[in-house]
Amino acid sequence: MILVVRTSHIIRCSVFTGVMSAHPKLMDLLDDTVPGIGTYEDFNTIDWVREKSKDRDRHREITNKSKQSTVALLFSISDAFSGWLLMLFIGLMSGALAGGIDIAAHWMTDLKEGVCLNGFWFNHEHCCWASNETTFQERDKCPQWKSWAELMVGVSEGPGLYVLNYFMYMCWALLFAFLTVILVRAFAPYACGSGIPEIKTILSGFIIRGYLGKWTLIIKTITLVLAVSSGLSLGKEGPLVHVACCCANILCHFFTKYRRNEAKRREVLSAASAVGVSVAFGAPIGGVLFSLEEVSYYFPLKTLWRSFFAALVAAFTLRSINPFGNSRLVLFYVEFHTPWHLLELIPFVLLGIFGGLWGAFFIRANIAWCRLRKNTCLGHYPVLEVVVVTLLTAFLAFPIEYTRMSSSELISELFNDCGLLDSSKLCGYTSNSGSASGSVNATAANGLGARLAGPDLYTAMWQLALALLLKMIFTVVTFGMKVPSGLFIPSMAVGAIAGRLLGVCMEQLAIRHHEGDIFRGWCSPGADCITPGLYAMVGAAACLGGVTRMTVSLVVIMFELTGGLEYIVPLMAAAMTSKWVADALGRESIYEAHIRLNGYPFLEAKEEFRHKTLATDVMRPRRGDPLLSVLTESGMTVEEVERLITDTTYSGFPVVISQQSPRLVGFVLRRDLVISLENARRNQEGVVSMSPILFTECDPPMSPSAPPAVKLHSILDLSPFTVTVHTPMEIVVDIFRKLGLRQCLVIQNGRLLGIITKKDILKHMAQMANRDPDSILFN
């Protein structure tokens, strides 16, 4: 690689020192900053090198001025502190919004089944808290809470009540889903989906105007509550990352150094991603690791500290709001007390295998469904699709207790470790003392019969098996619809159901064969042999890991959920197994698959480039192509440059000495060129179409009658990155990934031969992987 710094134009300026014209002083357009210079158009990639250079220059100037006066010193201190202040505001705003979303979603989910007579704003649980007639065994039943059928008919029992409640449940679900898709389509189309694939792309340097704007924030916050309340198989955790990033982007506009620098803004967005996971799971450390492992493209050490601070503030804010009324940050916080046994690693690994298989299946099935939606008439009717899927989901979900409840409540139920007073069917154990089986009688005699499965537990098992099948199908179909939809909770629900089923089976095996060689010593009177809730937690981690391919951050998130260091090894075993199995069947996570499906220009750092191609194989122009469009440092007129801009769509142009001597001088961006020419025509006196364009610092000889020249040296990048024609493409790809380049010029002995853009690299990589190279949206 060669870093070109041209000095020949300075030497050539000496030729003109003896020839001074009487022409008025040339105008340098950047003596005073021209609005718009240095900004980017929509659907373009930022220049990381230029942005970081701008920030270093700004910081150097502030530091130098701080030594000259007290006011400048105070300004320097405030500038250094502004990043922490911004993190504080992001944490407060995101935590408050997350608390409001949790409270509203919980209330509206219960609204589908009934209403509280003491106050319609109470959800089911809060309504029954104040009742003196509530028993512990039936704590969800109280006279203050009425189902819709009871309110309409006036009686609490009868054959028609079930049908009426069924009908009202479906009506509310359809209303919530319909409002969601209508609001998204009418006001903020970018509010649909999870948002994480787009945020990964934005953090890599891509510009998507409006994706993190105020309307997207408002509509996503409202529709996220409606979508979760509708009962669709989706979660709010992924969209909360999008909400937090919207908050960060809006707040960045109040701080000059983040408003004017796209690279600095992306550091803030990386921290906001950590905030989103922190408020979604009540896991500030896991949120920081999630941002580092999964979404961030550029993550310096100071961003790590600020992410931690912002996640801490957000978690504290959410804890202060206490949305679930249990002094916890999440609905499914649990604590286990029974230790696990070494041989249990075998079923934990089996759950990891299941999670990897589920992840690979889900990604392929969901991408196939989304591609079908994209390429057929199905994509033209998003409202109809949402209504039909909601109708089917509500129709099939209501009869089964475990699909009727929200996914968060289901996970909480599955994670729960049964106590003596639990009334759940999952805790439907019996002593079976009247059984004729000798082994069962022996079990009961040893005091272990209280954990033998009873009729309620068997009923719960087949209902869970049916719920597992429905969750898998509906999650595949739902993710990608035009509604806010997260994937964390549905994936965890699938894994938690599978884990609970396996945990109960293992528990019953251990109890019935407690004297066998395998299970000897596992069971003791008055204590649990096995904790089925732990299996649910491990299964949830395995399935989420299989879909997202997270490892370290996933284990930390699950550890923060349970508060038990003792269960890190099972979680690690399941997470790694699921990743290995899923990677063996397909290398992409669900987010990377959606990035590729949508054609976003994202260079994945995890994907290795192993092909033996050279820069000359990828650069443009190729044989048979038109010559490369270039500018010369002098000799071109305003009219010629404007015609070149009109006839091409390139994002920038190389500048050479002349057409006859194509030695590289620098590179100029199209947007900067357009703005500078418009500014010159508007503000510089005498500029006409025949005015010469100069990219040099010197004053060339001109006749007094000639029109004034437009001097554009200040917008010229004198040190563009260059490679030779023989540079291996694996090195070029590495340069683009690690430096975040937009383009790289190809030279040979100083002569410009071609250009390689990010689009060219993405197309080449797609072609090498036997994919469609024209599927890249990048412009």
Side-chain angles (χ1 to χ4, degrees):
M1 182 184 69
I2 304 170
L3 187 63
V4 176
V5 181
R6 300 297 301 174
T7 57
S8 57
H9 63 289
I10 299 175
I11 298 172
R12 289 194 303 276
C13 286
S14 61
V15 175
F16 305 116
T17 53
V19 187
M20 298 300 294
S21 67
H23 200 278
K25 184 179 182 296
L26 297 176
M27 176 182 182
D28 188 341
L29 290 172
L30 289 188
D31 284 346
D32 295 314
T33 303
V34 178
I37 293 281
T39 59
Y40 303 92
E41 294 178 342
D42 200 7
F43 294 104
N44 269 262
T45 301
I46 70 168
D47 189 333
W48 284 89
V49 176
R50 183 169 78 161
E51 295 299 305
K52 296 304 293 181
S53 177
K54 280 166 52 179
D55 183 62
R56 281 193 297 269
D57 291 342
R58 184 196 64 82
H59 188 264
R60 194 179 297 116
E61 183 182 356
I62 291 174
T63 303
N64 292 336
K65 287 183 177 179
S66 66
K67 301 173 183 177
Q68 300 173 4
S69 68
T70 306
V71 175
L73 178 62
L74 292 174
F75 179 78
S76 174
I77 295 172
S78 67
D79 180 78
F81 182 69
S82 62
W84 295 100
L85 186 63
L86 178 57
M87 293 299 123
L88 175 68
F89 290 152
I90 292 171
L92 291 171
M93 187 174 178
S94 301
L97 285 175
I101 289 170
D102 285 336
I103 293 170
H106 201 176
W107 171 67
M108 293 181 70
T109 299
D110 289 345
L111 192 64
K112 298 202 301 290
E113 298 184 29
V115 68
C116 184
L117 299 182
N118 288 347
F120 71 92
W121 55 87
F122 289 122
N123 61 42
H124 193 168
E125 186 178 11
H126 290 175
C127 183
C128 291
W129 273 357
S131 175
N132 295 324
E133 303 174 45
T134 305
T135 63
F136 195 88
Q137 286 78 7
E138 295 185 340
R139 51 188 176 275
D140 59 337
K141 294 180 181 179
C142 62
Q144 287 81 12
W145 179 266
K146 297 291 184 182
S147 69
W148 293 109
E150 288 180 279
L151 284 175
M152 293 177 182
V153 179
V155 294
S156 58
E157 296 180 0
L161 291 182
Y162 180 82
V163 176
L164 189 53
N165 281 326
Y166 201 153
F167 175 75
M168 289 302 298
Y169 180 91
M170 292 179 62
C171 287
W172 280 109
L174 285 172
L175 175 63
F176 292 156
F178 180 75
L179 287 174
T180 300
V181 69
I182 288 296
L183 287 172
V184 167
R185 279 179 59 82
F187 297 103
Y190 283 151
C192 67
S194 165
I196 293 179
E198 288 76 12
I199 287 169
K200 278 173 69 83
T201 308
I202 289 171
L203 289 177
S204 74
F206 198 54
I207 303 282
I208 307 179
R209 301 282 181 211
Y211 197 83
L212 302 176
K214 59 180 182 299
W215 274 109
T216 303
L217 174 63
I218 294 169
I219 297 302
K220 187 114 185 180
T221 303
I222 296 170
T223 55
L224 181 55
V225 174
L226 292 167
V228 171
S229 306
S230 69
L232 287 168
S233 185
L234 49 82
K236 61 181 183 296
E237 282 66 25
L240 278 174
V241 175
H242 188 186
V243 167
C245 287
C246 287
C247 295
N249 185 62
I250 291 168
L251 291 171
C252 277
H253 286 84
F254 297 98
F255 296 83
T256 306
K257 75 174 179 179
Y258 296 106
R259 183 177 69 248
R260 294 182 178 177
N261 194 293
E262 293 288 350
K264 295 292 290 180
R265 190 182 304 186
R266 273 150 183 77
E267 293 179 20
V268 175
L269 295 179
S270 292
S273 301
V275 170
V277 174
S278 173
V279 295
F281 290 103
I285 301 174
V288 175
L289 292 175
F290 170 81
S291 178
L292 176 61
E293 180 182 5
E294 186 62 26
V295 298
S296 291
Y297 193 84
Y298 173 69
F299 203 85
L301 191 59
K302 65 180 177 182
T303 302
L304 178 71
W305 300 333
R306 289 176 178 175
S307 300
F308 183 78
F309 174 69
L312 170 68
V313 172
F316 174 78
T317 304
L318 188 62
R319 171 64 180 80
S320 302
I321 295 172
N322 194 15
F324 303 110
N326 58 2
S327 300
R328 302 294 184 188
L329 298 179
V330 286
L331 187 61
F332 40 86
Y333 183 94
V334 289
E335 289 182 355
F336 302 127
H337 305 288
T338 304
W340 59 278
H341 307 279
L342 185 62
L343 283 177
E344 285 187 275
L345 279 177
I346 296 174
F348 293 152
V349 169
L350 288 176
L351 285 174
I353 294 172
F354 172 79
L357 293 173
W358 154 250
F361 163 76
F362 172 79
I363 292 169
R364 292 190 180 186
N366 180 253
I367 292 300
W369 179 257
C370 290
R371 189 171 284 116
L372 179 70
R373 178 191 293 126
K374 190 175 182 181
N375 299 329
T376 63
C377 60
L378 181 65
H380 300 302
Y381 304 100
V383 177
L384 181 62
E385 181 192 8
V386 170
V387 169
V388 170
V389 171
T390 305
L391 185 65
L392 288 173
T393 303
F395 179 76
L396 295 173
F398 187 83
I400 305 171
E401 178 184 353
Y402 299 109
T403 51
R404 187 191 318 155
M405 65 176 64
S406 70
S407 296
S408 295
E409 290 176 347
L410 173 62
I411 294 172
S412 177
E413 184 93 354
L414 295 169
F415 281 11
N416 184 42
D417 187 15
C418 290
L420 295 175
L421 297 177
D422 274 310
S423 58
S424 169
K425 287 182 181 178
L426 291 172
C427 300
Y429 296 99
T430 180
S431 65
N432 286 323
S433 57
S435 172
S437 168
S439 64
V440 172
N441 283 332
T443 300
N446 286 331
L448 303 174
R451 298 296 289 187
L452 285 170
D456 283 350
L457 185 56
Y458 284 120
T459 302
M461 289 299 99
W462 74 259
Q463 286 186 345
L464 280 178
L466 191 55
L468 176 63
L469 181 63
L470 292 177
K471 281 283 182 187
M472 293 172 77
I473 294 172
F474 283 126
T475 304
V476 168
V477 176
T478 303
F479 190 70
M481 292 198 309
K482 299 302 180 186
V483 295
S485 54
L487 193 59
F488 283 25
I489 288 296
S491 297
M492 289 177 67
V494 168
I497 293 172
R500 188 76 186 207
L501 290 171
L502 181 60
V504 171
C505 293
M506 288 294 299
E507 180 188 45
Q508 296 306 306
L509 277 175
I511 290 174
R512 293 176 184 273
H513 303 283
H514 64 279
E515 294 181 353
D517 293 336
I518 298 178
F519 301 107
R520 184 178 292 119
W522 286 28
C523 301
S524 57
D528 296 341
C529 302
I530 283 174
T531 308
L534 173 61
Y535 283 72
M537 184 181 73
V538 172
C543 284
L544 183 56
V547 171
T548 63
R549 311 297 162 87
M550 294 190 300
T551 51
V552 180
S553 56
L554 173 63
V555 171
V556 173
I557 287 171
M558 299 304 293
F559 154 63
E560 289 185 271
L561 285 179
T562 58
L565 280 168
E566 195 173 347
Y567 306 105
I568 282 186
V569 173
L571 289 170
M572 291 175 70
M576 280 311 307
T577 305
S578 70
K579 179 173 172 56
W580 286 335
V581 172
D583 280 348
L585 300 173
R587 299 289 296 178
E588 292 179 323
S589 72
I590 184 63
Y591 302 128
E592 290 149 14
H594 271 269
I595 286 172
R596 183 163 58 82
L597 177 70
N598 293 325
Y600 295 136
F602 182 75
L603 271 175
E604 177 55 59
K606 303 169 190 172
E607 185 179 353
E608 294 183 18
F609 187 87
R610 299 179 178 177
H611 306 284
K612 293 185 178 180
T613 50
L614 301 177
T616 187
D617 301 322
V618 181
M619 74 175 192
R620 289 179 296 158
R622 301 192 179 99
R623 272 183 200 170
D625 289 351
L627 294 175
L628 185 65
S629 298
V630 297
L631 300 172
T632 58
E633 64 175 357
S634 61
M636 295 186 74
T637 64
V638 170
E639 182 182 23
E640 290 172 338
V641 173
E642 288 178 338
R643 189 186 307 120
L644 180 63
I645 293 171
T646 305
D647 294 343
T648 62
T649 58
Y650 304 131
S651 297
F653 302 95
V655 178
V656 296
I657 294 175
S658 67
Q659 296 287 357
Q660 294 74 29
S661 176
R663 294 194 176 273
L664 184 64
V665 175
F667 191 86
V668 62
L669 292 177
R670 177 194 187 92
R671 181 175 175 84
D672 292 353
L673 191 59
V674 170
I675 293 173
S676 298
L677 289 177
E678 290 175 353
N679 185 71
R681 282 189 177 275
R682 185 171 55 250
N683 297 327
Q684 185 177 348
E685 185 180 351
V687 171
V688 294
S689 297
M690 296 308 295
S691 295
I693 297 286
L694 300 177
F695 289 99
T696 60
E697 287 184 315
C698 56
D699 295 343
M702 290 184 292
S703 65
S705 59
V710 179
K711 192 174 181 183
L712 302 181
H713 175 266
S714 296
I715 65 170
L716 181 65
D717 179 8
L718 293 172
S719 56
F721 276 86
T722 63
V723 295
T724 68
V725 289
H726 302 298
T727 305
M729 274 306 297
E730 58 184 340
I731 294 179
V732 176
V733 171
D734 242 12
I735 293 170
F736 270 80
R737 279 177 179 157
K738 294 177 178 176
L739 295 179
L741 299 184
R742 292 176 51 143
Q743 69 280 316
C744 185
L745 301 174
V746 183
I747 62 171
Q748 187 69 20
N749 299 325
R751 294 170 61 87
L752 178 66
L753 297 182
I755 186 171
I756 298 175
T757 64
K758 194 174 184 180
K759 177 180 178 181
D760 296 325
I761 288 184
L762 289 164
K763 284 191 171 186
H764 181 66
M765 294 176 71
Q767 197 170 10
M768 293 291 102
N770 296 319
R771 298 196 302 261
D772 180 15
D774 294 322
S775 63
I776 307 300
L777 173 70
F778 189 63
N779 181 4

